[in-house]
Structure formats: structure tokens, C-alpha cells
Amino acid sequence: MENKGGWLHKFRQNRAVWPILALIIIFIVDAIISPGFFNVRIVEGRLFGNIIDIVYRAVPTALIAIGMAVVIGTKGIDLSVGSIVAICGAVIAWRINAGDPHIVVLIYALAVGVVCGAWNGFLVSVLGIQPIIATLILMVSGRGIGLLINLLYGGIDPSFESPLLQGMSTGSVFYIPTRIFVAAAVFIALWALIRRTALGLFVEAVGGNAAASNLAGVNARLIIFVAYIVCGITTACAGVIMTADTHTSDPVSVAVYSELDAILAVVIGGASLAGGRIYLGMTVLGALVIQALTTSILISGLPPEYNLMIKALVVLFVLFLQSENARATVKLIFKRDVQ
Amino acid sequence: MRFNKKYLPLIATVAVFLALFLIGGGMYRNFLSTMVLGNILADNSFIIIAAIGATFVILSGGIDLSVGSMIGFVGVCMAVLDSMGWHPIITAAVMILFGVAFGAAQGYVIDFCKIQPFIVTLAGLFLLRGLCFMVTLDSVPIRHDFVDFYSSIKIPLPGRGVIRSSAIVMLIALAVGIFISHFTRFGNNVYALGGDAESAQLMGVNTRRTTVQVYALAGFFSALAGVVYAMYTSSGYPLAGSTLELSAIAAVVLGGTLLTGGVGMVAGTLFGGMILGLISTLIIFDGSLNSAWIMIISGALLFAFIVLHKFLIGTFNLRGSS
């Protein structure tokens, strides 16, 4: 026990430990309750299996969550992501049925993300409105905008056919679902933007202390503005995948609670809502933990009603782990037991 | 007499409400009547009751997202316990006690763990909605003589309008809310906590007790809103009240309360909720518009109000800081 301060300490200090541990525990439980859990087979030129399924379904949440991680890094929050997905879906259905080339429609969808993000960024950085309330405006009205586009140009819940978009969402390349490549590309691009330029440093500086970073010569307003646009873009990517998955635009029920899942993924990833830190990789892990949990509940044969309950308990557990006060109390109880 | 500028946001809210009401009167016949007013009061009573609780939380600088799920949970419990033969008054009392306990627990976790209220009450939202699904997956009717009696209570207004029982409960809750916020020590503590938590603590406000009390009070009001909703619709449905927390927050903001805490009034929340109700009534009266417009106009109005507050605070120094 002489190296107590050595690898064990280092191991416990590593912030990737908790989410990975959570994931491992979930997988062990899965392996016990469902013996064929880790089986992967090839059906119709695509890999199938629970592990693939978890990654596949976690993609939209992960995409939204990495954008959310950047916004939370600035000490902000974006509640409007579900609405952005809804508007994206409506615009995609509208333009595809209007006969535009599908690649152009894809650009329109991303443009929706940029515009929505710029609106949120304008409210927060230029008008100086609190992020929760600023993004609440688009959250309240965004699904209405989606419905309106549908009613003007397509009818109720218009559907569409697009080999390109559906290929991106539900297709597969080299046995691997295409959306995983899409997500990986977006992740690498964002990672490069955050970690290979100074942007990430600026975002964390602004999130840590906006006034101080302003004095240090960082244009805090511009950084915050850009952060919301980044979140808008990654959310639009998720919107494309989610809309093409059902090839329908359904603004009322698409991506409900997605903002909560995304924020949860960021928090499980170890970032504080108080800002100042961006952990992109950890956020993706967080999204995987959430999806693994959901899939496990389905596999275990528990009624799906338990899903929300268990999610809530996991959130509370993670919160307790992150809280100094709670940890100190647990330590105290432990010490008493030992003595 | 010097005019107290803290009433400015309230006056703005009332002015917008009256303007919308008059616009409606100008556009549609029969709009400007006590019947429409009575209907708006009754239809939005549960939102306003929940929003009164949310006002206290927001005044204290926090936020409560568990409101909608609480309304759903109280509804399904009332319906299921009714089918098991419980009297509605007893279930209502039990559920309100549950609401207070649940709110207090949320407040305690927020203060003890020093976590943002947003995340804690988000867990509360998931937890209560999950519990709803565990209680029942179907819409369960509430059939009891007392419910019939409750919905038959009406106070006639001049004209053809009536104040229904839901509206009566709401107005009583409002009076209680106004009393607590302005005439009790707890009310002062809430304003102090929302204005500046650190200063409040230095001045001797027990922040933990106040936080727990604020969320317990919010739990009381959202459980009461759930009871009113269940009695009004005489049924319980596990998805009832979804996203209602947003309407409650919107009503509070439209009512002139600052989300940063410390500034605002419970009375404003009544008009904030009434404005939301008025928008949907106007759109239903029009007939050619649809629910999409309710969302868009609510959002636009929210935007207008937030900018207005920003302007009022900048011009009149409402927060009292430098």
C-alpha cells in the first residue's frame, strides 16, 4: 500500500474515471441479465447488436451535447435545441418537397442552425439577457415556427423521400452506420476548432470570468456569440439525422426533452454549469452512458416507464458525487465505521 | 407623494393585458365581456397557481422545472386513489403534503450539495414524470359527487360571466401568495436571498432554511395546481402538464419578475398568466389561426417583455445597485 498516493490516486483524479466506471457497471449488469448482449452480427450489409445500437441511438444526443458543452463552457445554457431540431425538420421537408437538390437542402438545414444560434447569441451577448431566459424565447416559439412552415408548405406532419439524407441517417458504409461517421466528422471538426485554435481557451476564459477575460483583451461578447452559433450548427446536424430517421417533420413531438438529455450528458461528463470548462470527449461519453442506460432498461424487460425514474436517480447520484458537501459527509460516515 | 418605481413592471404588464383585451374587443364581437374574462380565469387557474409558486422560487434566484410533472403526478394519484374509493378532499390533502415534502427535499439538495437549482429540479421533473407512468399509463376518470359539487360552484358576475370554482381557488391562492411575499419575514428573506445571497447571509438570513422553505412553498402551489387541474378536467392522465413548467416561468416573466431574482411581485404573475390565456383565447376566437401562432406570439411577447425589463432596469435602476 506504499504507492497509495501513486497510480491509485492518479487514477481517481482522472475525470474520465466516473463515466467510464458507470458505463462498465451498466455493461456488466447487461451481460448478466442478457447473455447475448455483446453479440454483433451482420444483417443486410450492416453490423447489428446492442453495442452498435447504443452508439447508433446516442448519436443525436451526442451531437447536441457537444454543442451544448461549448455553450455551457461560456457559463451559458441553450434550452432551444429541441426547437432548432423541429425547425430544421420543417425546413428539410419543405425544401425537399419543393424540389431543391438534396445537398442544398442539407445546407439550408445547417443555415437554420446558424440563424437560430445567432439569434440566441444576439440575445445573450448583445442584449445581455440571462441565457436561460434568452433561449427560452426560441424554446417556446420554435416548435410553433416549425408547425407554421409545415402548415404553409406541406400540411400536417409532411413526409419526404431523400436517398442522401436518409443514407446519412440510417444507411451504412463498410458495415458501419453512416451517422457514426457523420458524428465523428463533426466531433473532430469541433475538437480541432476548440483545441487546435485558441477558441477553446477563450471560451473557457470567458466562462471562468467574463469581466477579467475582457480586461485581458478577449472579446467576450464575440466569443459567447460564436459559442451559440456552434451549438446551433451541431444541433442542426442532429436535426438532419433525427428528421431523416423518420423522414417526417413532426415539430410537436420531435426531440422533446433533448435539451435536458444534452445538458445531462455534459454534466455526467464532469463539466459544471458554472462554466469555464469544456470536455468534448467526456460529453460524448456522457451521451453514451445515458443511451446505454436507456437500452439496458429496454433489454432488461423492465417496463419502459422505469426509464425516466432511473434516469432521475442517476442524475441525483452524479450530483452527489460532484458535491463537496456530500462527499465530505460520506467520508465522515466511512471514518466512523473504520474506527 | 413620490411614485414608487418598483411598480413600473407591474404597470407595464397590466397595460399590456388591458391593451390585448381591448384589441380583442375591437376585433371580435362579444369578446369584451365578463364571460370571456371568467373563462380565461378558470381555464388558466392551474397555470397561475403553479406560477405563483414559481414566482417565489424565481424571486429567491432559483428556478423550478418540476412544476409540470408535479401537476401530472398529482392528477394521476387523485384519479387512481379516487377509483380506490378515497374521498377527493383527503387525496387532495395528502397530495399537497406530498408536494410540500418533495419541494422541501429539492430545496435541501440544492442548498446542501450547492448544485444549480436547474439540474436538481430537472431530476425532480424526470422523477415525478417517471412516477406518473408507474402509477398508470391510461387516462383515468375521476367520478365522485364531490367533484360534481365542486364544478357546480359559481359566483355570477355582472353580464353573463361567472367565476368558477377553479378561479376562486386561484384567487385565494393569489391572496395568500401576496400576503406571504409582502407581509411576512419569510417574504422579506426571499427577496433578500434573490437580491444577493451573500449579503443576505451576512445580514442574518438563514439561507438554508429559506431555500428549503421556498421550494416547499413552490411544491405546495404546484401540488395545489395539480389538484385544481384534476378537479377541473375530472381525470388524471400521466402526460398531463408536460412542458407546463415553461408556461409557468413565462407567466412569471411576463408578470414583471426578473429571472435574476430579487425583483418582482406575485400580483404581476396573475396578469402574466392572464396574458398567456388571453393570447390563446384571441387565437381561438379568430378561428383561422392555429396553435402554431399561440407558441410564436407567446415567444414574441416574452421577447418584448424581457427587452422592456432590460430597458426599465437600465433607466430606473430597479435593482438598486450602482
Side-chain angles (χ1 to χ4, degrees):
Chain A
M1 292 299 281
E2 62 223 353
N3 60 351
K4 203 178 173 189
W7 66 268
L8 191 67
H9 184 73
K10 246 183 206 164
F11 176 76
R12 281 173 50 184
Q13 287 299 307
N14 194 331
R15 53 172 201 277
V17 167
W18 294 112
I20 290 179
L21 208 62
L23 212 51
I24 291 173
I25 293 171
I26 293 169
F27 283 155
I28 291 173
V29 172
D30 283 336
I32 295 168
I33 54 177
S34 150
F37 184 79
F38 294 102
N39 290 357
V40 174
R41 59 189 194 283
I42 295 172
V43 181
E44 292 167 3
R46 170 167 159 346
L47 289 170
F48 267 88
N50 289 318
I51 298 291
I52 305 288
D53 191 59
I54 287 170
V55 179
Y56 182 84
R57 285 173 196 273
V59 162
T61 310
L63 281 173
I64 298 174
I66 53 176
M68 186 72 82
V70 177
V71 168
I72 287 178
T74 67
K75 210 172 185 169
I77 203 156
D78 189 349
L79 299 182
S80 68
V81 289
S83 291
I84 298 178
V85 169
I87 301 174
C88 257
V91 167
I92 289 172
W94 165 34
R95 288 324 299 172
I96 283 188
N97 288 329
D100 284 358
H102 294 180
I103 189 87
V104 177
V105 174
L106 195 61
I107 293 167
Y108 283 144
L110 294 181
V112 167
V114 173
V115 171
C116 291
W119 164 256
N120 286 333
F122 168 76
L123 293 183
V124 175
S125 70
V126 179
L127 296 189
I129 300 170
Q130 230 193 329
I132 288 189
I133 195 68
T135 54
L136 183 71
I137 295 169
L138 190 58
M139 186 189 193
V140 168
S141 55
R143 292 179 191 275
I145 295 171
L147 273 177
L148 195 65
I149 293 173
N150 279 356
L151 288 166
L152 291 178
Y153 302 106
I156 296 162
D157 298 354
S159 62
F160 61 89
E161 290 299 324
S162 164
L164 173 73
L165 297 187
Q166 276 154 256
M168 268 176 68
S169 173
T170 54
S172 58
V173 180
F174 304 124
Y175 301 117
I176 295 169
T178 330
R179 63 164 73 176
I180 295 176
F181 290 109
V182 175
V186 174
F187 177 81
I188 291 167
L190 186 58
W191 182 83
L193 185 70
I194 294 293
R195 290 290 167 232
R196 283 288 164 265
T197 71
L199 184 67
L201 199 64
F202 289 162
V203 169
E204 291 180 341
V206 169
N209 188 336
S213 50
N214 237 341
L215 290 176
V218 178
N219 187 341
R221 280 189 172 181
L222 184 69
I223 297 295
I224 291 173
F225 188 69
V226 170
Y228 282 91
I229 292 181
V230 166
C231 185
I233 294 173
T234 64
T235 305
C237 295
V240 169
I241 288 174
M242 287 163 114
T243 310
D245 202 348
T246 56
H247 43 88
T248 320
S249 159
D250 179 5
V252 175
S253 52
V254 72
V256 172
Y257 290 144
S258 60
E259 63 283 342
L260 304 184
D261 276 343
I263 295 166
L264 190 53
V266 176
V267 172
I268 292 177
S272 145
L273 286 189
R277 289 283 175 274
I278 305 173
Y279 307 128
L280 291 183
M282 298 292 298
T283 300
V284 173
L285 259 180
L288 285 174
V289 169
I290 295 172
Q291 187 55 48
L293 205 61
T294 312
T295 306
S296 313
I297 294 165
L298 290 177
I299 291 172
S300 66
L302 279 175
E305 300 91 85
Y306 283 72
N307 198 344
L308 276 176
M309 279 282 297
I310 293 176
K311 217 186 234 176
L313 295 178
V314 170
V315 181
L316 283 175
F317 182 67
V318 171
L319 293 182
F320 272 109
L321 280 185
Q322 289 184 355
S323 152
E324 300 263 329
N325 252 341
R327 271 196 307 228
T329 313
V330 171
K331 240 177 223 165
L332 213 68
I333 295 168
F334 248 123
K335 263 190 191 149
R336 256 184 234 151
D337 279 354
V338 172
Q339 279 160 7
Chain B
M1 194 185 96
R2 236 176 72 80
F3 174 71
N4 194 337
K5 60 198 177 190
K6 79 174 180 183
Y7 292 112
L8 274 175
L10 182 65
I11 291 167
T13 307
V14 176
V16 168
F17 175 76
L18 289 178
L20 276 175
F21 206 43
L22 289 175
I23 289 170
M27 280 162 76
Y28 313 106
R29 279 179 51 207
N30 300 333
F31 193 89
L32 219 56
S33 67
T34 51
M35 196 166 81
V36 171
L37 193 68
N39 284 346
I40 293 176
L41 274 173
D43 291 341
N44 297 285
S45 52
F46 62 98
I47 296 184
I48 296 173
I49 293 172
I52 294 168
T55 312
F56 280 97
V57 173
I58 290 172
L59 279 177
S60 80
I63 201 152
D64 189 354
L65 297 180
S66 66
V67 173
S69 302
M70 178 67 88
I71 289 174
F73 181 66
V74 169
V76 290
C77 284
M78 292 222 19
V80 169
L81 289 176
D82 174 69
S83 64
M84 286 160 64
W86 287 47
H87 194 281
I89 291 183
I90 298 171
T91 34
V94 170
M95 291 324 293
I96 287 174
L97 277 180
F98 169 80
V100 171
F102 189 85
Q106 288 193 129
Y108 187 77
V109 172
I110 289 166
D111 191 79
F112 179 73
C113 296
K114 301 274 172 258
I115 316 166
Q116 290 89 342
F118 184 89
I119 288 288
V120 175
T121 55
L122 173 62
L125 181 158
F126 283 146
L127 202 68
L128 287 176
R129 188 62 71 193
L131 282 173
C132 284
F133 293 135
M134 287 169 75
V135 172
T136 175
L137 286 175
D138 308 308
S139 182
V140 183
I142 302 177
R143 291 195 196 88
H144 198 281
D145 294 340
F146 179 76
V147 178
D148 296 335
F149 166 70
Y150 171 83
S151 42
S152 70
I153 302 172
K154 282 170 190 151
I155 298 177
L157 288 172
R160 284 189 300 144
V162 287
I163 294 185
R164 276 179 241 273
S165 40
S166 316
I168 298 170
V169 175
M170 184 264 282
L171 292 172
I172 294 171
L174 183 77
V176 171
I178 291 175
F179 176 78
I180 294 175
S181 66
H182 297 303
F183 301 104
T184 63
R185 177 175 294 240
F186 165 72
N188 288 339
N189 287 352
V190 170
Y191 276 96
L193 192 64
D196 189 335
E198 217 162 304
S199 314
Q201 189 156 26
L202 289 175
M203 284 169 64
V205 174
N206 184 338
T207 50
R208 172 163 298 172
R209 204 174 74 196
T210 310
T211 309
V212 172
Q213 283 172 338
V214 161
Y215 285 89
L217 191 66
F220 168 80
F221 278 112
S222 31
L224 182 65
V227 171
V228 168
Y229 185 73
M231 302 277 258
Y232 186 59
T233 59
S234 53
S235 69
Y237 179 55
L239 279 172
S242 303
T243 69
L244 217 126
E245 56 278 350
L246 290 181
S247 309
I249 296 171
V252 175
V253 172
L254 290 180
T257 300
L258 281 190
L259 266 179
T260 36
V263 179
M265 259 174 244
V266 174
T269 302
L270 168 71
F271 290 97
M274 295 278 279
I275 288 174
L276 286 180
L278 202 51
I279 294 171
S280 34
T281 311
L282 271 172
I283 283 164
I284 292 162
F285 252 75
D286 185 89
S288 67
L289 297 170
N290 52 51
S291 59
W293 284 104
I294 298 181
M295 300 184 206
I296 294 172
I297 294 175
S298 307
L301 214 58
L302 208 54
F303 171 65
F305 259 80
I306 291 160
V307 173
L308 176 75
H309 287 172
K310 207 79 201 160
F311 167 76
L312 286 178
I313 293 156
T315 318
F316 296 99
N317 190 15
L318 282 186
R319 293 211 69 173
S321 53
S322 55

